[in-house]
Amino acid sequence: MAKKKKKKQSMAERADRHALYEESVQDSEFELDFVQDTFKDIRKRKPVTLREDFAGTARSACVWTKRSKNNQSWAVDFDEEVLEWGRKHNLKKLKPRQRERVEFIQADVRKAKTPLVDMVLAFNFSYWIMQERKDLLTYFRAVRRTLNDDGIMFLDAFGGSEAHTTQQEKHKLDGFTFIWDQNKYNALTQEMQCYIHFRFPDKSRLDKAFSYNWRLWGGHEIEDLLLQAGFSNVRFFVQKFDEKTEEALDEFEETREVIDHECWIAYIVAEK
Ligand SMILES: C[S@@+](CC[C@H](N)C(=O)[O-])C[C@H]1O[C@@H](n2cnc3c(N)ncnc32)[C@H](O)[C@@H]1O
């Protein structure tokens, strides 16, 4: 009898969406350099403890413990599936002594119980899932309570005319294409539905690998809520562009003004 031929799996079927996500949008080393240097500039000491909110695979929390034997971190996410991926991949890569200094916590970021820390990070716009002022205020208050007296919260934000439209951005990476899809945009409420898709050279696709229903919060609104939550000072560090090529640079400068650009990205730094 002829042997049944096993159907070869497509690249999309073999792909790991969390690994692709990390490769596409995360640069923990760069982010940690930024938060560490900025904390040192403002507080004149080295930060030691860090809480990564909306941690997903907890990549930054894990990398933090590799940077110094004193560093400790907590990674908070309410999704057990993604935390488990982080344990299997990112935590496993650490040396036993580093591993002991990271704790994974499955909880809502508004309710998570963690010790007081120097820094709380909420990156990749994840806090935009909170679309009501009262929810975001509750979150900012909870973060403030979990910070040391000289603690600092770090967030990010984007904007510009392209943020207020439906559009797709494609980036060809090593072995796959990453697609950022601003699929729906409500110009009245600034609610947006975004997806991440992945495409592969064998034409297979991983559509809607990640889905985000966000409110496009403005810089001033976020600052108002942080101050209302009790933070004493809020700073903006905006990504610089090459004036000739208009290419985004790996440099962020403190400013309170962004020219009417198609797209801007900024870190928001809130001091307790
Ligand atoms: C875009 S991912 C962020 C991953 C990674 N930290 C990064 O910077 O790219 C958003 C994560 O937030 C988590 N999340 C959303 N709302 C949350 C909440 N209220 N409390 C805890 N985690 C939440 C989701 O489970 C998801 O893993």
Side-chain angles (χ1 to χ4, degrees):
M1 197 167 49
K3 208 171 164 191
K4 222 181 187 176
K5 214 174 169 190
K6 219 173 157 193
K7 192 177 165 264
K8 201 175 161 226
Q9 279 191 318
S10 70
M11 293 178 90
E13 281 166 330
R14 277 180 279 137
D16 179 334
R17 68 185 185 118
H18 295 303
L20 296 173
Y21 175 91
E22 285 195 348
E23 231 181 294
S24 307
V25 307
Q26 275 199 297
D27 189 345
S28 297
E29 286 73 11
F30 183 85
E31 274 171 5
L32 292 175
D33 281 346
F34 177 83
V35 301
Q36 185 168 315
D37 293 348
T38 308
F39 188 97
K40 258 163 69 185
D41 284 348
I42 297 175
R43 298 306 194 201
K44 313 293 177 221
R45 72 171 181 93
K46 256 180 110 170
V48 178
T49 45
L50 169 154
R51 178 172 126 174
E52 184 185 8
D53 276 354
F54 309 97
T57 61
R59 193 170 189 279
S60 298
C62 289
V63 174
W64 181 245
T65 63
K66 291 206 285 189
R67 298 191 148 210
S68 157
K69 63 179 180 356
N70 298 321
N71 284 1
Q72 247 186 305
S73 59
W74 289 264
V76 182
D77 199 290
F78 62 18
D79 181 358
E80 180 53 30
E81 187 255 335
V82 69
L83 285 176
E84 188 51 25
W85 192 97
R87 284 188 202 99
K88 272 202 193 128
H89 295 83
N90 292 328
L91 197 65
K92 213 175 140 195
K93 276 189 217 145
L94 299 179
K95 296 189 175 129
R97 274 206 212 128
Q98 296 165 344
R99 224 175 284 156
E100 282 167 15
R101 289 182 273 110
V102 195
E103 197 177 321
F104 282 47
I105 297 171
Q106 191 211 341
D108 189 300
V109 290
R110 285 162 291 193
K111 295 192 183 128
K113 296 260 179 299
T114 44
L116 296 184
V117 290
D118 293 331
M119 306 192 289
V120 171
L121 274 48
F123 283 152
N124 270 325
F125 327 106
S126 308
Y127 64 101
W128 286 1
I129 197 171
M130 295 172 196
Q131 299 192 21
E132 301 298 327
R133 279 182 67 94
K134 64 173 178 14
D135 292 332
L136 200 49
L137 187 59
T138 302
Y139 171 52
F140 288 164
R141 284 190 169 133
V143 169
R144 193 179 167 276
R145 278 197 299 274
T146 201
L147 284 170
N148 284 321
D149 287 345
D150 65 348
I152 296 182
M153 180 183 198
F154 292 87
L155 309 120
D156 52 11
F158 67 85
S161 53
E162 277 180 0
H164 295 263
T165 54
T166 52
Q167 59 138 359
Q168 283 201 354
E169 247 175 63
K170 291 190 180 107
H171 299 276
K172 236 179 149 78
L173 300 171
D174 195 13
F176 66 96
T177 301
F178 161 80
I179 300 164
W180 174 248
D181 178 9
Q182 283 172 203
N183 191 269
K184 268 191 195 159
Y185 180 69
N186 182 333
L188 182 68
T189 62
Q190 301 190 185
E191 188 181 337
M192 62 203 306
Q193 177 61 52
C194 305
Y195 299 108
I196 291 176
H197 315 292
F198 299 107
R199 301 276 152 83
F200 301 90
D202 68 353
K203 306 258 185 284
S204 61
R205 312 137 67 113
L206 213 55
D207 281 332
K208 298 186 181 174
F210 295 93
S211 162
Y212 306 105
N213 186 238
W214 284 343
R215 169 168 167 181
L216 181 67
W217 288 91
H220 212 147
E221 290 174 306
I222 298 164
E223 179 181 41
D224 283 349
L225 282 169
L226 286 163
L227 293 174
Q228 194 181 341
F231 286 89
S232 62
N233 189 32
V234 177
R235 306 169 189 243
F236 297 96
F237 292 77
V238 178
Q239 187 169 28
K240 284 171 76 170
F241 284 88
D242 185 300
E243 280 171 20
K244 281 193 193 126
T245 63
E246 297 234 326
E247 231 173 277
L249 303 172
D250 280 347
E251 255 179 86
F252 286 74
E253 80 175 348
E254 189 172 358
T255 179
R256 286 198 61 84
E257 192 180 354
V258 175
I259 54 155
D260 184 12
H261 223 281
E262 286 152 12
C263 173
W264 59 262
I265 291 189
Y267 285 121
I268 303 175
V269 177
E271 297 162 45
K272 184 160 173 176

